[in-house]
């Protein structure tokens, strides 16, 4: 895409943001993941009152099925295979937190971002487990609201975005089947460490 923006120009943190890097297809057992997610055990862990919740009390990378560990390992490999595209500083240790979205018919997540200000070394991503008969994620500039991308959901595939300030939303699920995505944030350890006792931070795991 042509829309790569810079923020904090002229500073040590100057780099592009609003960058999308697709990855996949992944090899993990998606049916095993889906079966667990839609089970009573899975739903009891996953379901929450608010779509955008800063204190989600679990991490899908630690759920009790091998498929989730396999996906975590594959995401990590894909991340470090895209060092140049994402502008990754490999000298910065990172932490990982992942959560699951189950969209029933009519559900969607509205426009939101994961940070109020730009900070370097922050990344967001998503993996499609079930596209619910066809779906997509839209991204827009957080300030101008200019729409930047529409990323079609492809089962077993995902994408990274090279920051956490770019706003995004999901399309409504218009099918009778649940749409399932695995989302995640990758944050620098120096930002995680001062708040490691917060409920959500207890579920972060190293991503070095």
């Amino acid at each position: 895409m042509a829309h790569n923006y810079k923020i904090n120009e002229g500073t040590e943190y100057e780099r592009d943001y609003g960058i999308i890097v697709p990855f996949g297809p992944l090899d993990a057992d998606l049916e095993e993941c889906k079966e667990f997610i839609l089970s009573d055990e899975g739903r009891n862990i996953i379901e929450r009152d608010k779509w955008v919740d800063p204190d989600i009390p679990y991490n899908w990378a630690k759920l009790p099925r091998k498929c989730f560990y396999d996906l975590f390992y594959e995401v990590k490999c894909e991340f470090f295979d895209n060092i140049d595209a994402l502008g990754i500083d490999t000298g910065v240790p990172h932490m990982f937190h992942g959560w699951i979205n189950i969209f029933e018919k009519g559900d969607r997540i509205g426009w939101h971002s994961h940070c109020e200000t730009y900070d370097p070394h922050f990344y967001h991503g998503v993996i499609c487990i079930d596209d619910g008969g066809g779906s997509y994620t839209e991204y827009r500039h957080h300030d101008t609201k200019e729409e930047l991308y529409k990323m079609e959901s492809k089962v077993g595939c995902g994408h990274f975005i090279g920051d956490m300030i770019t706003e995004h939303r999901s399309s409504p699920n218009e099918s009778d089947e649940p749409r399932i995505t695995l989302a995640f944030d990758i944050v620098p350890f120096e930002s995680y460490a001062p708040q490691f006792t917060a409920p959500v931070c207890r579920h972060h795991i190293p991503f070095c």
Side-chain angles (χ1 to χ4, degrees):
M1 302 290 290
H3 301 290
N4 290 336
Y5 295 87
K6 287 183 181 293
I7 197 163
N8 295 338
E9 292 192 17
T11 75
E12 61 179 317
Y13 297 133
E14 181 180 339
R15 75 173 173 90
D16 289 343
Y17 79 104
I19 296 172
I20 298 281
V21 177
F23 61 85
L26 305 176
D27 295 325
D29 188 341
L30 302 184
E31 285 303 315
E32 182 185 15
C33 291
K34 182 177 176 180
E35 180 181 346
F36 177 81
I37 289 166
L38 296 179
S39 69
D40 289 343
E41 180 183 4
R43 285 183 178 273
N44 285 338
I45 295 170
I46 295 160
E47 291 186 344
R48 56 192 187 270
D49 293 333
K50 298 178 181 178
W51 277 118
V52 182
D53 186 341
D55 296 314
I56 294 173
Y58 69 92
N59 186 338
W60 61 251
K62 300 196 295 181
L63 292 177
R65 294 293 186 278
K66 180 178 181 295
C67 57
F68 294 107
Y69 173 81
D70 291 341
L71 282 170
F72 171 73
Y73 177 79
E74 290 189 83
V75 167
K76 187 174 179 180
C77 290
E78 294 281 357
F79 184 76
F80 288 106
D81 282 345
N82 286 284
I83 288 172
D84 293 334
L86 287 166
I88 300 166
D89 184 344
T90 57
V92 175
H94 286 86
M95 303 294 287
F96 178 96
H97 180 229
W99 63 96
I100 298 171
N101 300 312
I102 305 174
F103 303 83
E104 306 292 354
K105 187 172 185 177
D107 286 345
R108 77 180 308 174
I109 299 178
W111 287 113
H112 68 286
S113 66
H114 293 217
C115 282
E116 295 182 357
T117 59
Y118 173 81
D119 290 297
H121 318 305
F122 282 75
Y123 305 89
H124 175 60
V126 65
I127 303 166
C128 178
I129 302 298
D130 191 312
D131 66 359
S135 56
Y136 56 87
T137 302
E138 296 174 288
Y139 290 87
R140 72 181 183 184
H141 190 282
H142 73 284
D143 187 22
T144 67
K145 310 305 181 186
E146 177 187 359
E147 293 191 17
L148 306 176
Y149 311 97
K150 180 186 283 187
M151 301 297 296
E152 298 292 336
S153 301
K154 297 180 180 179
V155 175
C157 297
H159 58 270
F160 301 106
I161 183 162
D163 63 81
M164 292 195 345
I165 193 173
T166 300
E167 294 182 356
H168 48 284
R169 69 175 178 180
S170 68
S171 61
N173 181 6
E174 298 179 351
S175 76
D176 293 322
E177 298 298 320
R179 176 193 176 200
I180 302 171
T181 60
L182 272 60
F184 54 88
D185 288 338
I186 300 168
V187 303
F189 180 79
E190 64 180 11
S191 295
Y192 157 83
Q195 51 184 337
F196 76 96
T197 58
V200 68
C201 288
R202 296 172 189 171
H203 299 281
H204 285 62
I205 58 176
F207 197 70
C208 301

